Amino acid sequence: DKDLILAIQIVPFDSTRKLLISRDITQLEKVQTVHRDFVANVSHELRTPLTVIGGFLETLLDLDEPAPGIVRKYMDLMLSQTKRMQRIVEDLLTLSRLENHQNSLRIEPINVPALLQSILSEAQGLSAGRHEVTLTIQTEHWVLGSRDELHSAFANLVSNAIRYTPEGGRITLSWRIEHRQGVFQVSDTGIGIEPQHIPRLTERFYRVDKGRARDTGGTGLGLAIVKHILLRHDAKLDITSTPGEGSHFTIYFPTESLTPSAQKNIAADA
Ligand code: ADP
């Protein structure tokens, strides 16, 4: 196996003999590489706005008596860079909380239709009339999970759909039961994604088009957060897309993640 990495150690066994110990550290090496990449990415993501802010501050200090209009313009630009750093740090904290509290998920019955109604209102606010945003509830069934986390996972997918769909596009949210699973789907008529990118979208800071993603206010951490949340709910994310036509992001909740009454109902229907 060309990817196998072994650590070899020679240790004394007795007065005359030595023992050769080899350990497979492939996994450890991989974890360390991921960690190194992550630190490099975080540093890079924060360095860019810091450089911009530093540049504006220097320019302002160099001006003897800057016109109020100029000061205001630079302040606005610095504020938007500061907000970007805040979003990155918030998302990093969310990710680290999700990773560190693996077992402390507070499970409660979640009224998905009601949750989606509030997500629909948020989405309409975010879109500000630029898209047609609709919600179809095909089942009233609930799931077991964490309200905050599911809200965050659904809202992330919806805000992506809005951010990657040009004005005049359609965003469709739906909740249904399919093959005894709870299915939440967000479809958009946006820019779409080339197939080779799809498997990597949930990696931290992975973006198809860095410039575009930044311009839309993205941190590159949204789908990584979604992935972690779904992992804790035994749910799965499926992504299908056609470049230039749009994308479907679908979450599947297994039967066991539905409330007991929903499970009973589905069993009776089957
Ligand atoms: P970002 O903050 O950059 O949006 P995400 O983790 O939420 O980060 O998404 C990762 C990348 O996946 C995005 O940068 C974008 O390239 C792509 N993406 C996510 N959702 C969509 C979508 N609905 N349509 C097209 N591309 C998308």
Side-chain angles (χ1 to χ4, degrees):
D1 183 346
K2 68 177 170 35
D3 291 330
L4 185 70
I5 302 166
L6 293 177
I8 313 280
Q9 206 180 356
I10 301 170
V11 291
F13 180 60
D14 56 29
S15 57
T16 56
R17 287 175 299 176
K18 290 199 169 68
L19 203 60
L20 189 68
I21 301 178
S22 90
R23 271 188 312 136
D24 173 7
I25 57 162
T26 317
Q27 209 44 42
L28 183 68
E29 195 64 25
K30 274 190 191 145
V31 169
Q32 284 176 348
T33 308
V34 168
H35 183 73
R36 268 196 302 269
D37 287 353
F38 178 61
V39 172
N41 280 334
V42 172
S43 314
H44 180 77
E45 294 293 333
L46 292 176
R47 192 177 60 183
T48 313
L50 277 172
T51 308
V52 175
I53 293 171
F56 284 135
L57 284 173
E58 273 174 11
T59 311
L60 277 178
L61 285 172
D62 281 348
L63 296 172
D64 274 341
E65 279 174 26
I70 295 276
V71 176
R72 171 131 213 126
K73 186 174 151 209
Y74 282 11
M75 294 279 205
D76 275 346
L77 291 166
M78 287 192 281
L79 183 62
S80 81
Q81 294 297 327
T82 307
K83 285 188 175 154
R84 188 166 135 210
M85 288 194 289
Q86 282 170 335
R87 280 197 301 272
I88 295 173
V89 172
E90 279 306 318
D91 279 356
L92 285 170
L93 285 171
T94 302
L95 260 181
S96 109
R97 268 196 298 269
L98 285 169
E99 284 174 341
N100 293 337
H101 301 290
Q102 218 56 271
N103 301 318
S104 57
L105 187 62
R106 229 189 85 214
I107 296 283
E108 53 183 331
I110 309 295
N111 181 345
V112 178
L115 177 59
L116 291 181
Q117 285 295 348
S118 72
I119 289 198
L120 175 70
S121 308
E122 288 170 28
Q124 284 164 338
L126 204 61
S127 156
R130 285 174 290 124
H131 312 90
E132 186 194 326
V133 192
T134 53
L135 166 66
T136 316
I137 302 280
Q138 290 170 14
T139 174
E140 291 298 323
H141 288 319
W142 295 20
V143 301
L144 295 170
S146 149
R147 183 180 307 278
D148 288 347
E149 292 191 9
L150 290 181
H151 182 276
S152 162
F154 294 168
N156 253 303
L157 297 184
V158 175
S159 93
N160 278 352
I162 291 172
R163 288 189 299 115
Y164 297 105
T165 301
E167 191 160 349
R170 277 191 318 277
I171 320 280
T172 320
L173 321 184
S174 66
W175 172 239
R176 59 179 189 268
I177 298 289
E178 197 179 285
H179 301 304
R180 308 176 69 176
Q181 301 185 91
V183 181
F184 169 64
Q185 187 170 54
V186 185
S187 300
D188 64 56
T189 58
I191 61 171
I193 307 155
E194 299 279 346
Q196 71 271 22
H197 296 291
I198 290 180
R200 301 197 57 191
L201 294 183
T202 56
E203 287 174 22
R204 296 154 184 209
F205 296 118
Y206 188 87
R207 286 173 284 210
V208 174
D209 176 344
K210 271 194 193 287
R212 178 178 221 144
R214 285 209 190 102
D215 290 346
T216 64
T219 61
L221 295 167
L223 290 180
I225 292 175
V226 171
K227 180 181 124 180
H228 270 279
I229 292 175
L230 297 187
L231 208 67
R232 287 150 64 80
H233 287 80
D234 294 322
K236 296 229 154 34
L237 177 66
D238 180 65
I239 306 170
T240 56
S241 186
T242 310
E245 284 188 17
S247 313
H248 302 282
F249 283 74
T250 315
I251 298 178
Y252 293 94
F253 292 93
T255 313
E256 305 74 54
S257 295
L258 301 171
T259 53
S261 67
Q263 294 184 28
K264 232 188 282 161
N265 237 300
I266 291 169
D269 284 348

